[in-house]
């Protein structure tokens, strides 16, 4: 049994004005029940609605509510990073601000922590509600990532998790910009535990992860943890070279030992287009990696804080 910890709750907020009051009520009820010292850190990730106003109100009613506001939208991962940088608790819990992550699960996460876990991740149990396409694409993505990268991620992992202070300090030393937090959590190791939960539908508003955003998130995940796509060019190049060599031998044979000649136009065009297509795809893949190297070398800050409440 560990000492009574101080708790930090970290919540990224992007246009969640409607959810915030309800979220605070449910969260505060759970935290008061626990009787622990706590802080609630909201990161306003460039909201255009009244989220900042709502957060100011919450801060006025409860001084344990602290707010960071970014100068513009820097993304979910940047907001989580800012929260971890600022959190002072012995235990930090990250969760979404749209009430899809039930605050009532927090005592269970703490139980796992008390039993010795240093990372307690949650596994989403719903699925029907998320939509067929989102589920299928998520499953395919995690299957692919687990195969080509040296990490192991469950497909229904959520960004609702408890982190021990030690783990937070470790994450703070990781300076990568294209931060795929789920992957990093699995990569850093430590004693990990899982808790299943029933995901609720979004309380209000709509998801900030459109298809194109999910797609670039997926590319971030793959490029951050695997160089396999780059190696694929070598494999494919080798096999194309091998088959074309056999084909050349065959063509020479036909020319020398038969009265026929190889039929031309269509097959030449097919080969040219095929090779051209493959080369462009791999230029694109190299470009994805290169642009990330470029981003990292510029060394710009990961996020810019414009306003603070409660610090
Ligand atoms: N979010 C954010 N910045 C963004 C996009 C999302 O801070 O650019 C927050 C959002 O307010 C929510 C959480 O990240 O609290 C998860 O986003 P969302 O619910 O839209 O994702 P989904 O649950 O649909 O995967
Ligand atoms: Mg959500």
């Amino acid at each position: 049994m560990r000492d009574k910890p101080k708790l930090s709750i970290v919540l990224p907020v992007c246009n969640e004005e409607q959810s915030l009051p309800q979220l605070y009520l449910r969260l505060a009820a759970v935290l008061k029940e626990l009787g622990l010292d706590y802080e609630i850190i909201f990161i306003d990730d460039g909201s255009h609605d009244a989220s900042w106003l709502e957060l100011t109100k919450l801060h006025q009613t409860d001084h344990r509510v602290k707010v960071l506001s970014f100068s513009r939208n820097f993304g979910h991962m940047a907001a989580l990073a800012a929260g971890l940088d600022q959190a002072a608790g012995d235990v930090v819990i990250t969760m979404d601000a749209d009430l899809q992550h039930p605050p009532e699960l927090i005592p269970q996460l703490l139980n796992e922590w008390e039993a010795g876990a240093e990372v307690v991740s949650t596994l989403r149990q719903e699925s029907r509600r998320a939509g067929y396409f989102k589920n299928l694409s998520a499953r395919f993505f995690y299957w692919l990532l687990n195969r080509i990268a040296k990490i192991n991620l469950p497909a229904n992992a959520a960004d609702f998790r408890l982190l021990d202070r030690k783990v937070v300090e470790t994450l703070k030393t990781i300076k990568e910009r294209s931060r795929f937090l789920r992957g990093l959590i699995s990569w850093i190791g430590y004693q990990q535990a899982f808790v299943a939960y029933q995901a609720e539908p979004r309380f209000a508003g709509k998801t900030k992860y459109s298809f194109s955003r999910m797609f670039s998130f997926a590319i971030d995940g793959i490029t951050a943890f695997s160089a396999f796509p780059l190696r694929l060019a070598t494999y494919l190049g080798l096999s194309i070279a091998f088959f074309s060599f056999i084909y050349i031998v065959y063509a020479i044979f036909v020319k020398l030992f038969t009265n026929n000649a190889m039929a031309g136009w269509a097959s030449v065009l097919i080969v040219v287009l095929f090779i051209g297509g493959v080369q462009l795809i791999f230029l694109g893949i190299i470009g994805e990696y290169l642009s990330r190297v470029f981003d990292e070398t510029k060394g710009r800050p990961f996020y810019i804080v414009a306003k603070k409440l409660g610090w």
Side-chain angles (χ1 to χ4, degrees), residues 1-51:
M1 191 65 185
R2 307 191 195 186
D3 287 343
K4 269 199 166 184
K6 181 182 155 97
L7 212 59
S8 300
I9 314 288
V10 169
L11 303 120
V13 174
C14 181
N15 301 334
E16 307 284 5
E17 57 178 0
Q18 288 166 297
S19 314
L20 290 171
Q22 178 72 13
L23 170 69
Y24 171 75
L25 286 180
R26 278 176 60 183
L27 195 56
V30 171
L31 293 173
K32 284 189 181 123
E33 185 80 11
L34 282 168
L36 300 174
D37 187 15
Y38 67 86
E39 59 177 356
I40 303 177
I41 303 177
F42 287 101
I43 299 94
D44 177 10
D45 183 14
S47 299
H48 294 300
D49 63 357
S51 292

XYZ file of all heavy atoms in Angstrom, residues 1-51:
403
model
N 0.847 -1.207 0.000
C 0.000 0.000 0.000
C 0.875 1.247 0.000
O 1.781 1.390 0.802
C -0.884 -0.078 1.262
C -2.009 0.915 1.359
S -3.273 0.739 0.127
C -4.273 2.168 0.520
N 0.631 2.149 -0.944
C 1.435 3.362 -1.003
C 0.790 4.484 -0.192
O -0.358 4.373 0.236
C 1.589 3.806 -2.465
C 2.114 2.705 -3.363
C 2.486 3.288 -4.700
N 2.660 2.212 -5.701
C 3.090 2.432 -6.926
N 3.385 3.643 -7.327
N 3.214 1.441 -7.769
N 1.552 5.577 0.010
C 1.005 6.736 0.726
C -0.122 7.362 -0.080
O -0.263 7.115 -1.260
C 2.096 7.801 0.918
C 3.100 7.359 1.966
O 2.760 6.438 2.730
O 4.206 7.928 1.993
N -0.875 8.219 0.604
C -1.933 8.946 -0.113
C -1.295 9.838 -1.167
O -0.515 10.730 -0.838
C -2.729 9.803 0.872
C -3.929 9.085 1.438
C -4.915 10.061 2.004
C -6.237 9.343 2.245
N -7.277 10.254 2.710
N -1.619 9.628 -2.431
C -0.957 10.411 -3.479
C -1.687 11.718 -3.763
O -2.857 11.877 -3.461
C -1.079 9.488 -4.685
C -2.364 8.745 -4.446
C -2.541 8.618 -2.962
N -0.948 12.639 -4.368
C -1.596 13.814 -4.952
C -1.915 13.467 -6.406
O -1.100 12.868 -7.108
C -0.669 15.024 -4.895
C -1.333 16.278 -5.468
C -0.377 17.459 -5.437
C -0.751 18.471 -6.503
N -1.528 19.577 -6.142
N -3.120 13.851 -6.808
C -3.625 13.436 -8.111
C -3.656 14.615 -9.083
O -4.086 15.699 -8.715
C -5.050 12.945 -7.880
C -5.615 11.840 -8.736
C -4.763 10.601 -8.602
C -7.036 11.529 -8.284
N -3.186 14.422 -10.309
C -3.376 15.439 -11.352
C -4.224 14.826 -12.460
O -3.911 13.753 -12.943
C -2.043 15.869 -11.974
O -1.192 16.407 -11.013
N -5.276 15.522 -12.838
C -6.081 15.068 -13.972
C -5.779 16.012 -15.137
O -5.850 17.230 -14.973
C -7.595 15.131 -13.662
C -7.913 14.534 -12.297
C -8.402 14.466 -14.755
C -7.808 13.057 -12.192
N -5.418 15.453 -16.280
C -5.055 16.262 -17.442
C -6.095 16.065 -18.545
O -6.357 14.936 -18.952
C -3.652 15.852 -17.958
C -3.370 16.473 -19.315
C -2.585 16.239 -16.956
N -6.706 17.166 -18.988
C -7.768 17.066 -19.993
C -7.542 18.023 -21.163
O -7.644 19.239 -20.987
C -9.116 17.386 -19.352
C -9.511 16.517 -18.155
C -9.707 17.365 -16.927
C -10.753 15.727 -18.453
N -7.242 17.507 -22.348
C -7.147 18.370 -23.532
C -8.553 18.802 -23.957
O -9.471 17.991 -23.956
C -6.549 17.468 -24.616
C -6.160 16.209 -23.932
C -6.949 16.115 -22.677
N -8.693 20.054 -24.305
C -10.006 20.586 -24.672
C -9.903 21.300 -26.011
O -9.090 22.195 -26.177
C -10.486 21.608 -23.618
C -11.774 22.273 -24.063
C -10.662 20.947 -22.272
N -10.711 20.879 -26.955
C -10.772 21.590 -28.222
C -12.239 21.740 -28.589
O -12.880 20.771 -28.983
C -9.998 20.811 -29.288
S -9.988 21.591 -30.876
N -12.780 22.915 -28.414
C -14.200 23.181 -28.675
C -15.135 22.208 -27.961
O -15.885 21.472 -28.579
C -14.491 23.140 -30.178
C -13.666 24.146 -30.945
O -13.261 25.166 -30.383
N -13.410 23.872 -32.204
N -15.067 22.203 -26.638
C -15.914 21.297 -25.853
C -16.804 22.078 -24.889
O -17.125 21.601 -23.809
C -15.048 20.310 -25.046
C -14.022 19.540 -25.822
C -14.610 18.402 -26.661
O -15.852 18.267 -26.705
O -13.819 17.678 -27.275
N -17.211 23.301 -25.275
C -17.961 24.162 -24.346
C -19.148 23.454 -23.698
O -19.431 23.656 -22.531
C -18.437 25.435 -25.057
C -19.288 25.137 -26.283
C -19.824 26.379 -26.986
O -19.524 27.488 -26.520
O -20.542 26.230 -27.982
N -19.852 22.613 -24.468
C -21.065 21.996 -23.936
C -20.785 20.897 -22.922
O -21.585 20.652 -22.042
C -21.898 21.432 -25.086
C -22.546 22.520 -25.908
C -23.065 21.967 -27.213
O -22.296 21.481 -28.045
N -24.367 21.999 -27.373
N -19.656 20.226 -23.072
C -19.359 19.110 -22.172
C -18.783 19.569 -20.834
O -18.929 18.876 -19.828
C -18.347 18.160 -22.815
O -18.685 17.883 -24.128
N -18.101 20.724 -20.834
C -17.277 21.079 -19.684
C -17.995 21.128 -18.330
O -17.502 20.531 -17.367
C -16.533 22.390 -19.961
C -15.434 22.244 -21.031
C -14.872 23.591 -21.422
C -14.325 21.313 -20.563
N -19.162 21.811 -18.223
C -19.803 21.873 -16.902
C -20.135 20.480 -16.355
O -19.816 20.159 -15.212
C -21.082 22.676 -17.164
C -20.827 23.429 -18.426
C -19.905 22.574 -19.234
N -20.737 19.640 -17.211
C -21.112 18.291 -16.820
C -19.867 17.476 -16.452
O -19.837 16.754 -15.457
C -21.848 17.643 -17.999
C -22.272 16.230 -17.792
C -23.430 16.130 -16.823
O -24.065 17.130 -16.492
N -23.687 14.911 -16.350
N -18.840 17.633 -17.257
C -17.583 16.919 -17.019
C -17.037 17.283 -15.644
O -16.664 16.405 -14.861
C -16.573 17.294 -18.100
C -15.133 16.825 -17.875
C -15.050 15.319 -17.996
C -14.194 17.478 -18.870
N -17.020 18.580 -15.341
C -16.476 19.012 -14.062
C -17.279 18.422 -12.909
O -16.716 17.932 -11.937
C -16.434 20.540 -13.962
C -16.071 20.977 -12.573
C -14.758 20.867 -12.136
C -17.039 21.419 -11.679
C -14.411 21.191 -10.833
C -16.695 21.755 -10.375
C -15.390 21.637 -9.962
O -15.050 21.940 -8.671
N -18.612 18.452 -13.036
C -19.462 17.940 -11.959
C -19.159 16.484 -11.666
O -18.965 16.073 -10.518
C -20.940 18.098 -12.325
C -21.482 19.531 -12.251
C -22.965 19.551 -12.632
C -21.279 20.111 -10.853
N -19.107 15.686 -12.727
C -18.872 14.255 -12.529
C -17.478 13.981 -11.989
O -17.284 13.141 -11.120
C -19.103 13.498 -13.844
C -20.584 13.226 -14.084
C -20.858 12.575 -15.401
N -20.198 11.283 -15.550
C -20.261 10.553 -16.661
N -20.961 10.997 -17.688
N -19.649 9.403 -16.751
N -16.517 14.722 -12.514
C -15.123 14.531 -12.106
C -14.933 14.924 -10.644
O -14.359 14.171 -9.842
C -14.232 15.385 -13.014
C -12.747 15.107 -13.024
C -12.488 13.648 -13.368
C -12.071 16.001 -14.055
N -15.476 16.100 -10.278
C -15.297 16.594 -8.915
C -15.972 15.659 -7.920
O -15.442 15.406 -6.838
C -15.855 18.010 -8.795
N -17.137 15.114 -8.296
C -17.837 14.188 -7.403
C -16.947 12.989 -7.102
O -16.803 12.578 -5.946
C -19.156 13.744 -8.039
N -16.349 12.433 -8.139
C -15.488 11.259 -7.958
C -14.270 11.609 -7.105
O -13.898 10.875 -6.187
C -15.032 10.719 -9.331
C -13.972 9.645 -9.176
C -16.222 10.180 -10.109
N -13.665 12.753 -7.391
C -12.430 13.120 -6.696
C -12.693 13.424 -5.223
O -11.892 13.079 -4.354
C -11.776 14.321 -7.384
C -11.259 14.029 -8.798
C -10.775 15.295 -9.477
C -10.146 12.997 -8.753
N -13.835 14.065 -4.941
C -14.149 14.375 -3.536
C -14.385 13.093 -2.758
O -13.958 12.949 -1.621
C -15.354 15.309 -3.460
C -14.912 16.716 -3.846
C -15.937 17.787 -3.611
C -15.357 19.122 -4.074
N -16.196 19.777 -5.089
N -15.070 12.158 -3.406
C -15.329 10.849 -2.798
C -14.015 10.177 -2.392
O -13.912 9.552 -1.340
C -16.075 9.987 -3.824
C -16.518 8.640 -3.334
C -17.799 8.720 -2.508
O -18.464 9.798 -2.482
O -18.129 7.706 -1.893
N -13.004 10.324 -3.234
C -11.707 9.680 -2.973
C -10.979 10.322 -1.792
O -10.148 9.694 -1.146
C -10.807 9.783 -4.215
C -11.103 8.800 -5.345
C -10.338 9.205 -6.594
C -10.725 7.389 -4.934
N -11.279 11.602 -1.551
C -10.656 12.293 -0.425
C -9.164 12.513 -0.588
O -8.431 12.581 0.393
N -8.706 12.636 -1.823
C -7.283 12.883 -2.060
C -7.064 14.337 -2.437
O -7.989 15.026 -2.850
C -6.775 12.002 -3.210
C -6.892 10.503 -3.044
C -6.484 9.804 -4.322
C -6.031 10.026 -1.882
N -5.821 14.774 -2.309
C -5.449 16.089 -2.798
C -5.381 15.995 -4.321
O -4.799 15.056 -4.851
C -4.080 16.460 -2.212
C -3.707 17.891 -2.532
O -4.605 18.653 -2.945
O -2.526 18.235 -2.371
N -5.985 16.944 -5.011
C -5.977 16.836 -6.476
C -5.885 18.187 -7.163
O -6.105 19.226 -6.550
C -7.223 16.102 -6.977
C -8.522 16.843 -6.771
C -8.982 17.773 -7.696
C -9.307 16.602 -5.641
C -10.163 18.450 -7.502
C -10.498 17.280 -5.437
C -10.921 18.200 -6.369
O -12.102 18.879 -6.182
N -5.530 18.156 -8.450
C -5.627 19.332 -9.307
C -6.225 18.848 -10.630
O -6.013 17.707 -11.042
C -4.252 19.985 -9.543
C -3.240 19.052 -10.178
C -1.892 19.698 -10.492
O -1.745 20.905 -10.279
O -1.002 18.978 -10.967
N -6.998 19.711 -11.265
C -7.579 19.382 -12.565
C -6.979 20.357 -13.578
O -7.166 21.567 -13.452
C -9.117 19.514 -12.550
C -9.711 18.613 -11.460
C -9.693 19.154 -13.907
C -11.222 18.736 -11.324
N -6.239 19.839 -14.539
C -5.562 20.708 -15.507
C -6.246 20.595 -16.863
O -6.283 19.531 -17.464
C -4.082 20.311 -15.649
C -3.396 20.380 -14.285
C -3.377 21.206 -16.666
C -1.947 19.947 -14.312
N -6.824 21.699 -17.311
C -7.420 21.732 -18.645
C -6.435 22.391 -19.598
O -5.857 23.431 -19.261
C -8.712 22.545 -18.643
C -9.866 21.849 -17.973
C -10.242 22.180 -16.680
C -10.590 20.869 -18.650
C -11.319 21.550 -16.068
C -11.671 20.235 -18.035
C -12.027 20.572 -16.740
N -6.251 21.819 -20.778
C -5.425 22.459 -21.790
C -6.336 22.854 -22.930
O -6.869 22.007 -23.643
C -4.307 21.543 -22.303
C -3.376 21.168 -21.163
C -3.501 22.227 -23.387
C -3.713 19.880 -20.506
N -6.541 24.154 -23.063
C -7.417 24.650 -24.113
C -6.591 24.727 -25.404
O -5.756 25.605 -25.574
C -7.946 26.030 -23.710
C -8.811 26.633 -24.791
O -9.149 25.917 -25.754
O -9.138 27.822 -24.685
N -6.858 23.765 -26.297
C -6.047 23.626 -27.499
C -6.637 24.459 -28.641
O -7.180 23.924 -29.594
C -5.986 22.136 -27.873
C -5.094 21.869 -29.073
O -4.320 22.763 -29.445
O -5.187 20.764 -29.636
N -6.563 25.759 -28.490
C -7.024 26.666 -29.548
C -8.507 26.552 -29.858
O -8.888 26.561 -31.028
N -9.341 26.473 -28.824
C -10.786 26.384 -29.068
C -11.310 27.690 -29.664
O -10.830 28.771 -29.332
C -11.531 26.117 -27.761
O -11.130 24.908 -27.208
N -12.325 27.561 -30.527
C -12.939 28.756 -31.108
C -14.284 29.043 -30.464
O -14.934 30.016 -30.792
C -13.148 28.570 -32.616
C -11.857 28.481 -33.359
N -10.938 29.496 -33.337
C -11.324 27.497 -34.107
C -9.888 29.141 -34.053
N -10.097 27.930 -34.520
N -14.744 28.159 -29.617
C -16.052 28.375 -28.992
C -15.850 28.983 -27.605
O -14.814 29.575 -27.329
C -16.835 27.054 -28.931
C -16.131 26.030 -28.053
O -15.035 26.339 -27.567
O -16.690 24.941 -27.861
N -16.809 28.793 -26.724
C -16.736 29.434 -25.416
C -16.002 28.573 -24.385
O -16.169 28.766 -23.185
C -18.145 29.761 -24.938
N -15.192 27.624 -24.828
C -14.502 26.744 -23.884
C -13.687 27.531 -22.853
O -13.730 27.239 -21.664
C -13.563 25.781 -24.624
O -14.312 24.872 -25.377
